[in-house]
Structures are given as C-alpha cells and as structure tokens.
Amino acid sequence: GHMGSWKGELGLLAECRDLQGHLVPSNIIDPTLDRNYIFIKNFFDEVLSVFPERFIHLGGDEVVAWIECWKSNPKIAEFM
C-alpha cells in the first residue's frame, strides 16, 4: 500500500475495480508481473545501500484492501 505516488513506474500498480466494475485509483503492486519483483528488489537494494538501519517498517495495515483490489482484477485473481 501507499504506493499510489509511484505511478511513474508503468505497470507497477494493479488495476482495481469498485463494486460497479469501474476502475479506481490503486496504490497496490500488481503481483503478476515479474518486472515488478525486479523493481522492488532494486528499490530495496538502494534503500539498504543508503540507510544504515537494520530494520525497515513496511506497514501492512492495508492487507484487506489489497485482497479486495486483487480479487477485482481477473488476471490477479487467477494468479492468486
């Protein structure tokens, strides 16, 4: 979650739909694309090279929203 500002990375964010089937803004990664795992790896490699801390807080309080978004996307639902 909280990745809605990363719209510049094309294909990173999942397409989510509301109950009426309309596209809604997403801040959740599309887990079906291998390139997104490469992007995240590169991101964390850079974070770990810049900051000396041993721990990173990743949140995770939006898990329910992730699941609802992912279930609304047929490609992601099949992937799950």
Side-chain angles (χ1 to χ4, degrees), residues 29-49:
I29 293 175
D30 184 336
T32 66
L33 302 174
D34 289 340
R35 70 174 182 256
N36 288 346
Y37 295 96
I38 295 167
F39 174 83
I40 293 299
K41 180 197 178 304
N42 291 339
F43 172 78
F44 282 114
D45 284 348
E46 182 173 340
V47 168
L48 294 171
S49 75

Side-chain angles (χ1 to χ4, degrees), residues 4-61:
S5 64
W6 294 19
K7 291 179 183 3
E9 186 64 30
L10 297 179
L12 181 69
L13 302 179
E15 288 189 354
C16 302
R17 299 186 178 276
D18 63 17
L19 294 175
Q20 289 75 37
H22 302 109
L23 283 175
V24 294
S26 170
N27 64 352
I28 300 168
I29 293 175
D30 184 336
T32 66
L33 302 174
D34 289 340
R35 70 174 182 256
N36 288 346
Y37 295 96
I38 295 167
F39 174 83
I40 293 299
K41 180 197 178 304
N42 291 339
F43 172 78
F44 282 114
D45 284 348
E46 182 173 340
V47 168
L48 294 171
S49 75
V50 173
F51 298 101
E53 287 76 22
R54 295 179 49 212
F55 302 98
I56 299 173
H57 183 335
L58 299 177
D61 56 318

